[in-house]
Amino acid sequence: MATLLERDTHIDRLDALLDECAARAGQAVLVEGPLGCGKTELLRVFSGRAAGEHGVRVVSARCSAHERALPFGVVGQLFRAARWSTSPIEQLDLTAPIRPVSAHLAPSPELLHVCRQLARPVLEAAEKPLIMAVDDIGDADGESLHFLQYLVRHLPQSRLLLLLTDGTALRSERRKMYAELFRHPHVHRLRLSPLSRASTLRLVVEDLGDEDARQVGDGLADAAGGNPLLLRTLVEEHRTGTEPRYGSALLSCLHRADPGVLRIVRALAVLGEDTEPADVARVAGGDDGPETVAEVLATLTTAGLIDATGRLRTDDARTHVLDDLSTSEQAELQLRAARLRLDAGAGAGVVSQHLVAAGHAPEPWAVLVLTEAAEQALLDHRPRFAADCLRLAHRATADERAKAVLRHRLTHAEWQLSPSMAARHLTALTAAAHAGHLGLDEALSVVLQLLWHGRGADAVAVLDLLRTRAESAGRNEPAEAGALRDAEIWLAYTHPVLARGRRPPRVPAESRHVVLPGIDPFLGAAAALAGALAVGRATDAVDRAQQVLREAQLHSGTAWVEQAVLLGLRVLTRAGRTDDAATWTRRLLALAERHDTPTATALYAAAHGETALLLGDLTTAQESSSAALTHLSPAAWGVAVGLPLSTLILTATRAGEHRTAAKHLTHAVSEAIFQSQYGLHYLYARGHHHLAIQHSHAGLADFLSCGELVRTWGLDAAGTVPWRTYAAEAWLRLGNRDQAWRLIHEQLSRPDADRPQVRGPALRLLAAAGPPDRRIPLLTEAVDLTESSGDRHEQIRVLAGLSRAFQAAGNKRRARLLLRQALHVANMCGMGPLAREVLSVSGDLDSGGPAHGVSRDDSGIGALTESERRIASLAVLGYTNREIALRLYITTSTVEQHLTQVYRKLGVRRRKDLPADLWANLKKTG
């Protein structure tokens, strides 16, 4: 940057002083200003012009803090530059007591004698105009400062212009020295300020050109804050292709300042905002008091290096300032800050931030503070910070019992981030449970995590230990026994293989709902929901499920909450409330994403995908389940990987993407998955894939394996999956109608046979396996059932089957209408294979006219209003009342009222009897 902006008055002043020097009236000038505001550049430009245009001799030196202990170091630079003899310095015994204790103290006679000898060649040279420039005299050694003071006193009658620069005055002795200097009338002061924004932008344009300046000029100007040195660094980084970083540029500027300035800025970086100068001084260390710190901060603010509130502007700046220190130096700063905050009564979270940054907890109080901060962080949904606190507290604790409890809390925090991260603690926690170092709630959460990772034997061993310990202690604690009983009930439904031969502890009926203080309340909720599902009474548990889902929004983050939520959602879908389940999964997923808890986010995304699949929304099912495997890797999912994988396999199968389904089946799953409900659903999904690719024997084997599992587990009454229905379908494809007939009748005789999602598919297969004259009534009932259940996949298959039945009966009009409905639903849901299947059987129907039914003139369609025709037309295509309401922006009640009028005018009783002519009506009015 060649242009020196906003410095014209300063140059003019120096020119005038130089003219006075030429008239044998020597002058001294102290150029002051904040760090990086162009003091050195001003000296360079003025000295260069004086030498070039006026032939003035220039001698210069630059001071350095690293050479402050070198006697006469600055004087030596000047004399070597001017080629004057340094013999007076060389003859000195620098170990003799001539060196001053401080620059502001009166010099000894010996030192004065040396200064007089050194001044002689300077004043002789100043018979002609001479500029002597010394940059950064704040870093000069004491002997050189006394020489310069001596020289100032003897400037009159010389042609010497002495130029000095200095920035922030950190030391009181320097201020006293300056006060002494300014007593002389021939000593002047020039102050520099940061550049205006207009000048800053002009410099950017000059250095980068108009095009680049338009793109980055404003950003560079904002970052520089008018500081020329900072701006120069940022511009140079941009010019070399490096992304300009405020932090590195700031650090580069600070390294040019007094070391005390950087020390203060580092303390400021550690303490952050709302920091008093006294606090900064205490953390910074050294000899600088609050007044000096306040002066430095004010100067840095003026220089544009920190903002108006006294803070570093960006996190990048804070990072660079601290990373410039060694690890041990950073730790020392952070520990001093932690102690300062503790003494000031700051909260545990604030103090712990410094302890975590230090990576040390050397004092007993630190572990207590870290533990308190971790609990607060978990309540505030900040598991990452909680884990950092607990990790440090665990390292700093020696007591085995306390160490085990801290490890348990750390595992809980890490679990919310990734179960695979928490898994590394399970062996130690299992040992701690056996050693009696964990309480009941802590040990039960260890059981939960062991089961997640497929370590069933270890989980059961801990449960057995807890029961034995409770019984041998001779205590009569109904609440404690109730917690163990809840865990066993939950285990019997979710991991039934491990529960075989086990009986939950006996608990008096009046004590079963007593919650032991310190026990996760969601454990009891999970047990209640699992118990209802196990006996096929999901409808009775709907209210409890809704309560659990509501409470989960307020108390997320406990060990058992996700298990209770998944079971609550399953209760809703089993009870035919899939729409409600989908609404809850959306809410919980949004909450987990907002809290930034990957494990909960992954689980709720998988649950949302499952409910979307049940509703026929293949796109949402695929996206949500894929996202679940992104938030957590398949390995981190443990045995629960069966949840998103099952949905992905079924989704791809129904979309006709059989290669994709096969790819999902290549994910390695452990044998432990088949000890749980997750394995059952995985087998069920795989069976559907095999049927879709015409591997009927493999599909039959998978569905029969599902049956064997649920019977072995004693959960056949739970109706977890309708395995008999699809095993019957496989038998039909293999030509064995007897076996198919037997399984269908078994399915229809089950306790859950009245559920629409069970009865509808069973009736479809019963129609396929039975006599032709029974197909239309069976499939007609199945249409209503599949529509009410929301199972679009089955609805399409039933509609296609009913169309074939009407075609066989000679009613091509009705057959054509049903096929159109099936095709519409298939296309709407993205079920390509079913859409192609519908199209493959429609040839005969599209070629002829109506074979049965009334004509348009006699149908009464002309009597319908436009609104009634539109609503009836959508009903013909298979839209539900709710879907029609959403499509036409009206209420469901309005749809129902219009359909009632349509049925009356057309003389029909239900939507399946609506005439096919309405299809053409939709195309005309749509």
Side-chain angles (χ1 to χ4, degrees):
M1 296 183 184
T3 305
L4 195 64
L5 299 178
E6 298 182 4
R7 301 293 184 250
D8 292 342
T9 57
H10 302 87
I11 294 290
D12 292 343
R13 178 64 172 150
L14 292 175
D15 282 340
L17 292 173
L18 183 60
D19 290 341
E20 292 185 27
C21 290
R24 195 175 286 277
Q27 305 290 326
V29 181
L30 178 64
V31 181
E32 294 180 298
L35 174 65
C37 284
K39 300 182 294 293
T40 302
E41 188 69 7
L42 177 65
L43 257 63
R44 186 189 68 79
V45 171
F46 173 74
S47 300
R49 196 179 71 167
E53 296 180 6
H54 305 290
V56 178
R57 187 181 184 188
V58 178
V59 180
S60 61
R62 180 163 189 166
C63 308
S64 170
H66 299 293
E67 298 178 1
R68 192 178 289 159
L70 180 63
F72 291 106
V74 176
V75 176
Q77 288 187 56
L78 294 169
F79 273 55
R80 284 189 294 273
R83 300 184 184 279
W84 295 322
S85 172
T86 58
S87 58
I89 300 176
E90 295 166 359
Q91 294 170 8
L92 282 176
D93 179 8
L94 298 178
T95 63
I98 67 167
R99 299 185 60 192
V101 176
S102 180
H104 75 282
L105 297 178
S108 66
E110 292 85 357
L111 182 57
L112 280 175
H113 176 70
V114 172
C115 290
R116 185 170 61 250
Q117 288 182 289
L118 293 172
R120 185 178 298 121
V122 176
L123 295 175
E124 289 175 356
E127 287 297 321
K128 295 181 180 180
L130 172 67
I131 294 176
M132 182 177 286
V134 182
D135 200 10
D136 291 333
I137 64 166
D139 290 329
D141 59 276
E143 291 81 0
S144 294
L145 286 173
H146 276 291
F147 168 74
L148 292 173
Q149 286 178 283
Y150 180 91
L151 201 59
V152 166
R153 291 193 295 270
H154 293 80
L155 282 179
Q157 308 304 317
S158 74
R159 290 185 172 90
L160 174 63
L161 178 58
L162 181 61
L163 300 179
L164 310 173
T165 72
D166 195 17
T168 305
L170 283 178
R171 297 171 182 80
S172 59
E173 60 264 27
R174 279 162 55 186
R175 290 194 287 271
K176 293 178 181 178
M177 182 188 73
Y178 295 154
E180 175 66 26
L181 286 177
F182 292 125
R183 291 175 59 186
H184 300 288
H186 54 276
V187 177
H188 311 274
R189 173 179 283 171
L190 290 183
R191 295 182 182 274
L192 302 187
S193 301
L195 299 177
S196 66
R197 185 174 182 84
S199 293
T200 302
L201 291 172
R202 179 180 167 186
L203 288 178
V204 175
V205 171
E206 288 184 1
D207 220 54
L208 297 180
D210 290 337
E211 185 175 350
D212 274 4
R214 277 195 296 271
Q215 296 177 2
V216 301
D218 287 332
L220 293 178
D222 290 340
N227 189 284
L229 179 60
L230 187 55
L231 180 65
R232 181 183 299 116
T233 306
L234 290 167
V235 167
E236 188 59 31
E237 286 185 349
H238 176 79
R239 196 204 326 266
T240 57
T242 305
E243 181 69 24
R245 292 178 298 175
Y246 172 73
S248 62
L250 173 66
L251 185 61
S252 176
C253 294
L254 291 173
H255 273 298
R256 295 191 175 196
D258 186 292
V261 173
L262 189 52
R263 187 171 61 248
I264 288 171
V265 173
R266 284 168 177 157
L268 185 67
V270 166
L271 289 171
E273 58 188 38
D274 299 328
T275 302
E276 297 296 327
D279 295 339
V280 177
R282 179 174 168 183
V283 173
D287 300 327
D288 303 321
E291 292 182 358
T292 300
V293 169
E295 180 183 346
V296 171
L297 294 179
T299 304
L300 292 174
T301 301
T302 302
L305 298 178
I306 60 177
D307 65 20
T309 63
R311 295 178 300 174
L312 293 172
R313 291 184 184 171
T314 64
D315 290 338
D316 173 61
R318 180 178 181 276
T319 299
H320 275 82
V321 167
L322 294 180
D323 285 350
D324 193 47
L325 293 169
S326 67
T327 303
S328 60
E329 289 171 330
Q330 286 194 50
E332 181 61 28
L333 270 180
Q334 296 287 0
L335 288 174
R336 287 205 294 262
R339 186 74 220 197
L340 170 74
R341 297 302 195 197
L342 182 72
D343 292 345
V350 174
V351 178
S352 293
Q353 285 178 350
H354 295 297
L355 293 173
V356 168
H360 295 287
E363 300 184 53
W365 58 264
V367 172
L368 296 175
V369 169
L370 287 165
T371 305
E372 180 183 346
E375 295 304 316
Q376 292 173 359
L378 287 172
L379 289 174
D380 292 338
H381 310 291
R382 294 185 292 130
R384 285 180 173 79
F385 181 63
D388 290 338
C389 293
L390 291 165
R391 205 173 289 120
L392 181 56
H394 179 263
R395 285 204 309 267
T397 302
D399 179 75
E400 287 301 319
R401 185 179 294 274
K403 204 173 184 70
V405 172
L406 285 170
R407 184 188 290 274
H408 168 263
R409 297 303 293 158
L410 171 60
T411 305
H412 174 60
E414 291 183 344
W415 168 272
Q416 297 181 50
L417 302 173
S418 172
S420 58
M421 184 188 301
R424 58 200 172 101
H425 302 291
L426 287 180
T427 299
L429 286 175
T430 302
H434 283 280
H437 294 331
L438 299 179
L440 177 60
D441 186 61
E442 295 156 346
L444 288 176
S445 70
V446 172
V447 169
L448 176 61
Q449 293 195 34
L450 287 169
L451 290 169
W452 177 281
H453 290 290
R455 297 174 58 174
D458 291 336
V460 170
V462 173
L463 272 177
D464 289 340
L465 173 72
L466 294 175
R467 289 184 63 170
T468 302
R469 187 172 293 157
E471 293 168 358
S472 63
R475 297 194 303 264
N476 184 19
E477 290 285 355
E480 185 170 329
L484 289 170
R485 180 178 182 275
D486 288 340
E488 298 277 8
I489 292 173
W490 170 84
L491 182 72
Y493 178 75
T494 57
H495 296 77
V497 172
L498 302 174
R500 278 186 297 180
R502 302 174 62 84
R503 290 187 178 181
R506 296 179 61 85
V507 180
E510 64 274 10
S511 301
R512 288 180 184 175
H513 300 295
V514 176
V515 178
L516 185 68
I519 296 294
D520 189 341
F522 283 99
L523 169 59
L529 297 173
L533 288 167
V535 296
R537 303 187 64 177
T539 304
D540 297 340
V542 166
D543 289 343
R544 185 65 185 274
Q546 297 274 22
Q547 178 187 357
V548 166
L549 294 169
R550 283 192 298 271
E551 292 175 351
Q553 297 180 103
L554 304 175
H555 303 287
S556 58
T558 69
W560 288 88
V561 63
E562 286 102 358
Q563 292 299 317
V565 165
L566 293 178
L567 290 167
L569 294 170
R570 184 135 297 170
V571 164
L572 293 181
T573 56
R574 287 284 186 278
R577 306 279 289 274
T578 308
D579 282 336
D580 291 341
T583 300
W584 277 112
T585 56
R586 281 192 294 271
R587 291 179 187 171
L588 292 167
L589 178 57
L591 187 67
E593 289 174 339
R594 190 161 63 249
H595 290 163
D596 190 22
T597 49
T599 300
T601 301
L603 278 167
Y604 297 151
H608 188 51
E610 184 181 42
T611 55
L613 176 63
L614 293 174
L615 292 171
D617 186 353
L618 298 189
T619 300
T620 300
Q622 190 276 330
E623 290 175 351
S624 295
S625 299
S626 295
L629 290 176
T630 301
H631 294 300
L632 291 182
S633 67
W637 270 93
V639 299
V641 74
L643 177 60
L645 278 183
S646 300
T647 301
L648 286 170
I649 293 165
L650 271 174
T651 299
T653 298
R654 292 182 178 179
E657 299 172 358
H658 302 308
R659 287 182 178 271
T660 301
K663 182 179 178 181
H664 293 312
L665 285 165
T666 62
H667 280 288
V669 294
S670 66
E671 285 299 317
I673 193 176
F674 299 108
Q675 298 177 342
S676 70
Q677 288 280 350
Y678 302 115
L680 180 67
H681 289 276
Y682 180 84
L683 281 175
Y684 180 73
R686 191 174 72 182
H688 279 282
H689 168 67
H690 286 147
L691 281 187
I693 60 174
Q694 307 305 317
H695 291 176
S696 300
H697 283 98
L700 177 62
D702 280 335
F703 292 125
L704 291 178
S705 295
C706 290
E708 183 179 354
L709 284 178
V710 295
R711 284 196 299 265
T712 303
W713 296 345
L715 293 177
D716 202 12
T720 307
V721 293
W723 64 271
R724 291 177 176 85
T725 299
Y726 296 101
E729 183 168 357
W731 278 123
L732 279 177
R733 294 191 183 189
L734 293 171
N736 193 330
R737 287 181 174 270
D738 291 339
Q739 286 285 12
W741 185 269
R742 179 182 63 80
L743 286 172
I744 295 167
H745 276 279
E746 280 186 18
Q747 184 70 69
L748 290 172
S749 65
R750 304 297 303 167
D752 64 340
D754 291 336
R755 288 171 50 207
Q757 54 265 53
V758 174
R759 185 170 178 81
L763 291 179
R764 173 178 62 81
L765 287 168
L766 186 61
D773 59 342
R774 290 284 299 150
R775 288 176 184 168
I776 289 179
L778 289 171
L779 291 172
T780 298
E781 181 184 354
V783 167
D784 290 336
L785 291 169
T786 55
E787 182 181 333
S788 65
S789 71
D791 188 343
R792 296 291 185 234
H793 184 260
E794 276 298 329
Q795 183 184 5
I796 298 165
R797 301 185 76 181
V798 171
L799 286 169
L802 186 56
S803 174
R804 293 189 192 96
F806 274 113
Q807 182 182 0
N811 190 343
K812 288 190 175 182
R813 161 179 274 193
R814 190 64 183 166
R816 186 182 299 112
L817 172 62
L818 291 166
L819 273 180
R820 286 170 177 164
Q821 292 179 14
L823 183 60
H824 165 73
V825 178
N827 289 329
M828 180 180 67
C829 297
M831 298 182 184
L834 285 182
R836 289 190 292 273
E837 181 181 334
V838 170
L839 289 172
S840 69
V841 298
S842 64
D844 293 340
L845 297 177
D846 290 335
S847 60
H852 176 75
V854 295
S855 67
R856 191 185 194 290
D857 293 336
D858 298 330
S859 65
I861 292 177
L864 301 179
T865 67
E866 182 179 349
S867 298
E868 290 169 347
R869 285 199 303 272
R870 182 176 293 276
I871 290 173
S873 300
L874 292 171
V876 163
L877 289 177
Y879 283 95
T880 65
N881 290 353
R882 182 183 177 188
E883 290 168 343
I884 294 171
L886 290 172
R887 188 179 179 91
L888 299 181
Y889 303 101
I890 57 179
T891 65
T892 305
S893 175
T894 301
V895 174
E896 293 170 352
Q897 293 171 16
H898 277 71
L899 284 177
T900 300
Q901 293 297 319
V902 169
Y903 296 158
R904 183 182 61 78
K905 290 179 181 181
L906 299 182
V908 299
R909 290 188 299 173
R910 41 192 182 176
R911 67 171 59 205
K912 66 173 64 66
D913 297 327
L914 291 171
D917 301 68
L918 286 167
W919 166 264
N921 177 75
L922 180 64
K923 291 195 288 186
K924 289 179 180 180
T925 61

